[in-house]
Amino acid sequence: MASRTLFDALPPFPDNVVTAPIQTISLKELSSGSFDASKSLFEACRDLGFFLLDLGDDVIGEQLVGQIDQLFRISRDIMHLPKEVKIQYAHDPPKSFLGFKPRGIAKTETNQPDRFEWFNLGQDGLIGNESLQPLPPTITEHLPIFASFLRNGQAVAEAINVAIATQLNLPPQTFVSLQDPAKKSGTVVRLIKADASPEPEHLRTSMIHHTDFGSITLLVNVLGGLQILAKSKTPEDPDAWLYVRPQPKCLIVNMGDAMVKWTGGILNSNTHRINFAPGKQRFVERLSLGILFRPERNASMKTLVGESAHDEEDLTAWEWEVKKLMALKR
């Protein structure tokens, strides 16, 4: 997560808001092979499917904190480019999700236009698996720091994957090998901007509730707004949504659908959404930065543990993602 400097520059998260009971795991302890840290992480992934990863006092973690501070400043410049510039780099789903997603082209659960936009930078282009996607100069001049941020994020994801595999009594590299960054995938670095909500009509969902398709998401927020669904609750219940309180030097980490598939439902890919920020934070636009990891395209999506581990069709990650997209459309 960003340093305290960025937090102190914004209105504080209010103390009278109901928040999710999220565990905090130390990256330093996790990277050192701590059994207790690994066990706590696994329990969090089974329970809420979300946890905070404390980057403090860890070499890679501290590098990430510095990079995040820089990227927030860069992201503001990128997301504030004129609309006529950003639209030149618009994504083209389902052919490609890389590039700019304009505000208002998707719907919320009330069928109103969404209130966010994003820019996706593909991992494959950043690390040379394929040609770099078309990008505005505001991004290309900062490619080294995006690539370095991605490499550090890959190291963090590897530590998480190893911990989960170890807790499941699988070979440590089981999930790492299915997400090999040297092979093509849909992994992206994502910049998100959600509008401020100064007016009463703005006090609604900005991004509809969903689960992440991929394996692991590393998310950076300074302002509140992210909400996760409480256990055993339905999205229609207004009291079921719990705010996630961002913390300095902590990443917000959540499991995606691929991890649920590989683990036979042991892990939890929890439903979440972006709502308006709480308290006085709603008067400020909300920037987010994340890495959304997905399996490499030819990875097997067979379940690796449990009764169904040897009794199902063997889809590649690409086939499985297309199948999920078609089901979502229906």
Side-chain angles (χ1 to χ4, degrees):
M1 192 64 73
S3 71
R4 182 166 292 280
T5 301
L6 290 189
F7 279 76
D8 290 344
L10 296 168
F13 191 98
D15 292 327
N16 60 347
V17 172
V18 179
T19 58
I22 295 183
Q23 291 195 57
T24 300
I25 313 296
S26 165
L27 176 60
K28 180 181 180 181
E29 293 182 9
L30 191 68
S31 299
S32 69
S34 164
F35 176 81
D36 288 342
S38 177
K39 182 180 178 182
S40 294
L41 181 151
F42 184 70
E43 290 173 349
C45 294
R46 292 189 68 171
D47 184 25
L48 281 181
F50 277 77
F51 62 90
L52 296 179
L53 186 66
D54 184 353
L55 303 178
D57 300 321
D58 179 84
V59 174
I60 290 177
E62 293 291 353
Q63 288 178 9
L64 273 169
V65 172
Q67 291 167 346
I68 288 165
D69 279 6
Q70 293 181 64
L71 287 172
F72 258 73
R73 292 189 290 270
I74 295 167
S75 297
R76 185 171 288 105
D77 292 340
I78 293 168
M79 301 309 288
H80 281 206
L81 286 169
K83 184 176 181 180
E84 60 267 23
V85 173
K86 289 186 288 190
I87 206 68
Q88 296 176 43
Y89 305 93
H91 68 176
D92 185 21
K95 180 180 178 181
S96 173
F97 288 90
L98 301 183
F100 175 62
K101 176 245 168 242
R103 167 185 160 170
I105 65 170
K107 300 292 185 181
T108 67
E109 69 281 356
T110 56
N111 208 36
Q112 294 173 285
D114 68 68
R115 302 188 67 244
F116 74 96
E117 57 189 37
W118 72 41
F119 203 107
N120 282 343
L121 287 82
Q123 172 178 266
D124 291 330
L126 280 174
I127 66 175
N129 289 343
E130 63 184 19
S131 298
L132 194 65
Q133 69 195 85
L135 294 170
T138 312
I139 294 181
T140 55
E141 65 186 69
H142 295 295
L143 283 178
I145 188 171
F146 277 108
S148 182
F149 169 70
L150 175 60
R151 286 194 296 271
N152 282 330
Q154 290 166 349
V156 169
E158 180 170 350
I160 294 169
N161 278 309
V162 168
I164 292 171
T166 302
Q167 288 293 312
L168 287 168
N169 295 315
L170 295 170
Q173 295 295 307
T174 296
F175 300 116
V176 175
S177 65
L178 294 167
Q179 301 166 70
D180 184 353
K183 297 178 181 178
K184 291 185 178 182
S185 73
T187 296
V188 298
V189 175
R190 176 172 291 176
L191 318 177
I192 308 174
K193 180 172 76 70
D195 292 339
S197 303
E199 304 299 332
E201 62 266 26
H202 298 154
L203 302 183
R204 62 179 181 85
T205 309
S206 293
M207 181 190 294
I208 194 170
H209 58 266
H210 63 283
T211 60
D212 290 351
F213 265 25
S215 50
I216 294 172
T217 297
L218 307 180
L219 183 64
V220 183
N221 288 148
V222 179
L223 287 177
L226 173 66
Q227 292 182 316
I228 64 177
L229 192 64
K231 293 177 62 177
S232 304
K233 299 287 187 177
T234 63
E236 293 74 28
D237 181 356
D239 296 324
W241 292 101
L242 305 175
Y243 275 102
V244 175
R245 182 172 190 151
Q247 298 288 348
K249 290 193 174 185
C250 288
L251 293 174
I252 299 170
V253 183
N254 68 280
M255 297 293 100
D257 298 343
M259 294 300 289
V260 177
K261 179 68 169 62
W262 284 328
T263 63
I266 292 175
L267 301 188
N268 181 12
S269 175
N270 203 349
T271 302
H272 53 283
R273 69 183 187 181
I274 297 177
N275 206 348
F276 59 90
K280 293 182 179 179
Q281 291 192 344
R282 71 183 179 93
F283 296 99
V284 183
E285 80 171 11
R286 181 177 181 273
L287 294 174
S288 303
L289 172 67
I291 306 176
L292 285 71
F293 289 102
R294 291 168 82 163
E296 61 100 351
R297 290 193 171 206
N298 292 318
S300 170
M301 292 307 299
K302 282 183 70 69
T303 300
L304 301 174
V305 292
E307 295 181 359
S308 62
H310 305 289
D311 187 27
E312 57 178 13
E313 59 180 335
D314 188 9
L315 298 177
T316 66
W318 174 249
E319 293 168 336
W320 178 76
E321 289 173 4
V322 169
K323 189 174 181 179
K324 284 184 69 66
L325 277 170
M326 296 303 295
L328 183 62
K329 283 185 177 182
R330 289 195 294 269

